[in-house]
Amino acid sequence: MARPVRAAVGAVTTTTASVLPVFLTGALTVQISAELGFDPAGLGLVVALYFGISAVASLPCGWLVERYGAGPTSRIAVLGTACAMSAIAVFARSYPALVAMLLCCAWCNVLGQLSSNLTLARHVPTSRLGLSFGVKQAAIPIATLLSGAAVPAIALTIGWRWAYLIATGLALGALLLTPRGSDGRQRTSAARGERATAALSVIGLAAGFGAGAATALGIFLVAAAVDRGIEAGLAGLTLTMGSVVGLTLRLVNGWLADRRSGGHIAVVAGSLVLGAAGVVLLAVPGTFALVTGTVLAFGLGWSWPGLLQFAVVRLNPEAPAAATSIVQVGVYGGGFVGPIAFGFIAAHASFPVAWLVSGAAMLLAGVLMVVGRRMLIAHRSTAAQLAPS
């Protein structure tokens, strides 16, 4: 297998294995809760805590990946995930035990994501890097698909614990595709200074608002549609359609990025602004508004993560994992706050009000993305003036 292809396949398998536990838990909630005794609020709490720990772990994991390289950190992430899933299968006999073991997977997910970013940055040619990041971000829908398939194939036949054991085997199989050797390096103070940390922080904040709105979209779309009188089957099919549209446009965004010389963050900002219009449409009653809003919200409002990571890596080739870890703090923070805030607003006001607030958050994300882009341009201009001739 050619090295760039192997690197891309390894990044996808590492990312899929690392993110699998949280989606598998979500898919198997009915079976797990029947045995361990917790309600949907319990699931919401553990997912929120999962993303909260991911946000806290992002910067330290970024340093670890840069210091020790993609190979060792990819293997640690996959092995840690496999150990945690096997522990859940064998030792999760209560809700607190399940929570504790699942939260151990959070830092493995972060480490796997960032090591995959470094793998792509180091081993994939620049001409195909955008598409590679689009394919890598497709790992999350792949994990969702595998988790969904595990319900009828495993959980309803031989039991939910076997699903975790089989997933453990799949994760261990990903070890065969992790990078060999170590491409880590000690960062110097000069190299750290070359990163536009302030600009990346603003972009991370923008990503947080966008991710918060988009995460709530995936969690509450069906419930909100049913609340407005839409038949549950149609609402579920609409969610599936939105997921397919989002997955497809993640790949298209990556393919187009390889054919542009720049302006990637501007495209992300535009996607967020147009996606916000789709989220607002979800506040309008009727099937047409539901379908149109879902296509816009998923297709534009949640198709940008791979493109944003690609842009940050291109702008920070010397420290891709550390740079993307700054942005990922915002993404994980949005995953923590977004669903909680949306659920609170929906419970105390209504779903339409929650959609309007969510749309405003996504619009703000687009505006902040433009601000961060301008800060990056100013930083690069200043750096060019200060560079020795």
Side-chain angles (χ1 to χ4, degrees):
M1 187 183 296
R3 191 175 187 184
V5 175
R6 188 186 190 282
V9 172
V12 171
T13 53
T14 297
T15 303
T16 303
S18 301
V19 79
L20 189 55
V22 68
F23 288 107
L24 190 60
T25 302
L28 300 174
T29 295
V30 173
Q31 291 75 34
I32 300 174
S33 61
E35 180 178 336
L36 303 187
F38 62 91
D39 56 16
L43 175 64
L45 175 62
V46 70
V47 172
L49 290 175
Y50 180 91
F51 284 114
I53 289 180
S54 297
V56 173
S58 188
L59 291 179
C61 284
W63 179 87
L64 286 172
V65 173
E66 290 289 349
R67 176 66 181 85
Y68 297 103
T73 52
S74 292
R75 288 189 286 276
I76 291 172
V78 172
L79 281 172
T81 300
C83 290
M85 287 196 293
S86 61
I88 290 173
V90 178
F91 300 113
R93 303 294 173 179
S94 66
Y95 174 69
L98 173 68
V99 171
M101 295 172 194
L102 188 62
L103 294 185
C104 289
C105 299
W107 68 269
C108 298
N109 175 38
V110 178
L111 202 62
Q113 290 272 356
L114 297 177
S115 64
S116 296
N117 290 348
L118 183 61
T119 297
L120 295 178
R122 294 280 187 261
H123 302 297
V124 175
T126 304
S127 61
R128 285 184 283 171
L129 194 58
L131 180 58
S132 296
F133 269 95
V135 172
K136 170 187 169 285
Q137 287 306 118
I140 295 177
I142 291 172
T144 305
L145 176 63
L146 290 174
S147 300
V151 176
I154 304 171
L156 296 179
T157 55
I158 57 177
W160 65 267
R161 295 183 186 275
W162 281 101
Y164 283 99
L165 288 175
I166 293 172
T168 298
L170 294 176
L172 291 175
L175 285 174
L176 300 175
L177 295 170
T178 55
R180 298 290 175 255
S182 174
D183 48 10
R185 60 185 68 180
Q186 188 70 266
R187 307 306 306 151
T188 64
S189 58
R192 287 192 297 268
E194 290 169 2
R195 292 200 301 272
T197 304
L200 289 174
S201 298
V202 173
I203 290 173
L205 181 62
F209 279 106
T215 303
L217 172 70
I219 293 174
F220 292 101
L221 178 66
V222 173
V226 171
D227 183 72
R228 299 296 295 273
I230 304 294
E231 196 269 329
L234 176 59
L237 288 174
T238 303
L239 176 61
T240 302
M241 176 196 66
S243 300
V244 172
V245 170
L247 168 61
T248 302
L249 287 185
R250 287 185 183 203
L251 298 176
V252 171
N253 268 336
W255 182 77
L256 291 175
D258 289 331
R259 285 150 181 78
R260 288 194 304 267
S261 59
H264 309 300
I265 295 180
V267 173
V268 173
S271 297
L272 285 165
V273 170
L274 294 174
V279 175
V280 170
L281 267 179
L282 296 175
V284 178
T287 303
F288 178 79
L290 171 67
V291 173
T292 305
T294 299
V295 169
L296 286 174
F298 272 101
L300 294 171
W302 199 217
S303 64
W304 49 266
L307 179 59
L308 180 60
Q309 290 187 14
F310 164 72
V312 171
V313 167
R314 285 291 303 272
L315 292 169
N316 299 270
E318 293 302 314
T324 52
S325 72
I326 297 174
V327 176
Q328 286 300 104
V329 171
V331 173
Y332 292 131
F336 172 67
V337 175
I340 295 176
F342 188 101
F344 180 85
I345 295 170
H348 291 81
S350 66
F351 276 113
V353 173
W355 287 129
L356 292 175
V357 173
S358 190
M362 192 170 283
L363 178 63
L364 177 59
V367 173
L368 287 173
M369 200 67 72
V370 173
V371 173
R373 178 176 181 268
R374 291 181 176 176
M375 292 174 66
L376 275 176
I377 293 172
H379 175 85
R380 293 171 65 186
S381 176
T382 301
Q385 293 174 5
L386 295 177
S389 57

